[in-house]
Each structure stands twice: as C-alpha cells, then as structure tokens.
C-alpha cells in the first residue's frame, strides 16, 4: 500500500434522518438547545434539512436534521436514523484518487458541492466485487476542509 497522500482532520458533521424532521427538531433544537444555523433543500439529493451546530469556529460540528422530500424516492435519507458522518480531509481530490486505487467504493455523484458549500463525496456503505472496501454499512462523507480548518487541525 502506498503512502496516504491526505489526512483526516476531524469530524465535520453527523447527519440524522427521519420521515419527519419535526421530532428531531424537538430533541436537538428545543430540548438540547442546538442553534439552527442553516437550511438546505435539494431535489437531486431528496433532502430537506436543518443544519444545527455544536461548538464554534474550526471546532464546530454540524448536526444535520434531515427528512426526505419524497419518502418513496432515493436516496432515502430517513431509512437509517444515523444517515452518515462527515470527516474533514485536507485534500479531497487526492483522497478520492488514492482510496479508489486502494479498492474503496464511492457512491455515485463524484465530488460536488455539499449543503455547507464545501466540496464533498461519499464512501458507499456497501462493497462490491470491483471495490471490496466500503463504509461497512455506514455512509461516510469526505468533506474538503477550508484553509482555516486545515491550519487549526492539521
């Protein structure tokens, strides 16, 4: 195995899905007190989400409360309550290239802009014959860290 040309810097987000995000809002916003710092809606991603934040600055972690726009469509953001975790990486293109070469399966869609405006891509939760490594049941989002996060966490 060749030397890893990127570094995982920390947790960027935790995404939680439900058929209706109102119950999630009651727990995370009203009862636990997380502030809602943004909203994201995407027909392509079949998601309507509220973005909450724990912590400040480069140490902030998003808690995304998600519901599907169409409960019958894919992706089914509500089908697993812990939908995915997001990890900051210092060089997303190199991470994708290297991990692919190591046999890691990525979800369709490639590198694209995510809800928070950062470039993202997803490791598939299930392996395949061609790509024997995966998130082993967990969808994992790799998120390109901005320069201030890289400087603080690298």
């Amino acid at each position: 195995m060749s030397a890893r040309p990127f570094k995982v810097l920390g947790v960027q987000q935790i995404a939680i899905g439900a058929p209706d995000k109102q119950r999630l809002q009651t727990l995370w916003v009203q009862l636990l007190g997380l502030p809602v710092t943004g909203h994201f809606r995407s027909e392509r991603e079949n998601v309507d989400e509220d973005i909450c934040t724990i912590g400040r600055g480069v140490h902030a972690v998003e808690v995304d409360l998600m519901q599907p726009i169409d409960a019958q469509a894919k992706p089914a953001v509500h089908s697993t309550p812990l939908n995915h975790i997001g990890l900051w990486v210092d060089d997303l293109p190199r991470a994708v290239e290297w991990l692919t070469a190591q046999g890691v399966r990525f979800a369709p869609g490639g590198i694209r802009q995510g809800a928070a405006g950062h470039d993202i891509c997803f490791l598939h939760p299930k392996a395949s014959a061609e790509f024997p490594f995966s998130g082993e049941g967990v969808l994992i989002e790799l998120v390109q860290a901005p320069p201030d996060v890289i400087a603080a966490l690298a």
Side-chain angles (χ1 to χ4, degrees):
M1 187 178 298
S2 62
R4 187 178 309 103
F6 68 95
K7 183 176 181 183
V8 174
L9 302 172
V11 175
Q12 185 269 336
Q13 70 175 263
I14 302 166
I16 303 167
D20 182 342
K21 66 182 177 182
Q22 185 56 53
R23 292 179 60 83
L24 295 173
Q25 290 170 338
T26 298
L27 174 65
W28 291 93
V29 177
Q30 295 174 12
L31 297 174
L32 296 176
L34 273 65
V36 176
T37 56
H39 301 279
F40 179 71
R41 183 177 173 90
S42 170
E43 299 288 334
R44 177 178 177 232
E45 302 288 337
N46 190 34
V47 69
D48 177 14
E49 71 183 65
D50 292 333
I51 301 169
C52 301
T53 305
I54 296 172
R56 291 193 294 283
V58 298
H59 299 288
V61 174
E62 287 182 19
V63 177
D64 297 343
L65 309 178
M66 307 184 316
Q67 72 181 31
I69 294 170
D70 177 352
Q72 306 306 314
K74 300 281 184 193
V77 300
H78 63 299
S79 66
T80 53
L82 177 56
N83 183 271
H84 66 274
I85 61 168
L87 303 174
W88 288 122
V89 295
D90 63 348
D91 190 333
L92 182 59
R94 288 184 73 189
V96 171
E97 178 183 7
W98 188 82
L99 289 168
T100 300
Q102 305 310 309
V104 174
R105 182 178 181 196
F106 282 85
I111 296 175
R112 59 195 180 275
Q113 188 174 67
H118 306 292
D119 283 350
I120 58 130
C121 69
F122 290 92
L123 276 67
H124 202 285
K126 295 179 184 174
S128 68
E130 184 180 0
F131 296 100
F133 301 108
S134 69
E136 295 300 319
V138 176
L139 185 63
I140 300 169
E141 182 177 14
L142 299 182
V143 183
Q144 175 60 59
D148 61 334
V149 172
I150 293 171
L153 301 179

